[in-house]
Amino acid sequence: ELDQCPDSPAKAIVLPSGCHFDLNKPLELKGVEFAVDTALLTSSSTNILEQAARILQKVPDKQVEVAGHTDDTGDARYNKKLSLQRAEAVRRYLINEGVAPVRLISKGYGASDPRMPVVGLSGEKLTSARAANRRVELRLIN
């Protein structure tokens, strides 16, 4: 019941969230979270990041972008900086888990690439959309 990606193919390597790394799509690191308004990873993020490192080690010839995203609250310039800091925090963690530093590039997108639109939303729907937009993804570059 905790599987966030129930359509993972057979024999795929999956994260604790149930999501797998499709080489053709960004992999959202569901469950990787940060302390509010910081780039400090929460302790609950470690299982997912350890599994992500193992996945990346299975494709050693690929370069990967660690993409950080924020929601739309606050200053756009600040959000872009925070999203880069969060991407860097994930990058450092993956390096500490054995992924070669030259394979990982960090990029912060701020709120410029939302997963869910927030225009016209309010209340719980707005809160939920903003939460979905705060994320870190892994994207294969080559």
Side-chain angles (χ1 to χ4, degrees), residues 10 14-15 21 27 32 38 43 49 51 60 80-81 90-91 96 102 104 110 114 123 125-126 129 134 136:
V14 296
L15 296 167
F21 198 6
L27 172 65
V32 171
T38 74
S43 60
L49 291 173
Q51 184 78 24
K80 188 158 181 149
K81 180 180 174 185
V90 169
R91 180 181 181 271
N96 287 337
V102 297
L104 300 171
K125 287 184 179 183
L126 177 60
R134 293 187 300 267
V136 177

Side-chain angles (χ1 to χ4, degrees), residues 12-69:
I13 301 166
V14 296
L15 296 167
S17 65
C19 299
H20 70 286
F21 198 6
D22 179 340
L23 298 177
N24 299 310
K25 295 188 223 174
L27 172 65
E28 181 180 344
L29 297 177
K30 291 182 180 185
V32 171
E33 297 176 348
F34 302 87
V36 175
D37 205 26
T38 74
L40 299 172
L41 286 159
T42 62
S43 60
S44 63
S45 301
T46 58
N47 278 348
I48 292 156
L49 291 173
E50 289 167 1
Q51 184 78 24
R54 285 194 289 279
I55 289 171
L56 293 177
Q57 290 166 344
K58 293 187 181 292
V59 287
D61 58 328
K62 303 290 184 184
Q63 193 170 28
V64 177
E65 176 185 284
V66 181
H69 301 270

Side-chain angles (χ1 to χ4, degrees), residues 72 114-121 125-126 128-130 132-133:
D72 64 324
R115 163 162 281 165
M116 297 182 69
V118 296
V119 175
L121 298 180
K125 287 184 179 183
L126 177 60
S128 177
R130 284 182 169 152
N133 291 337

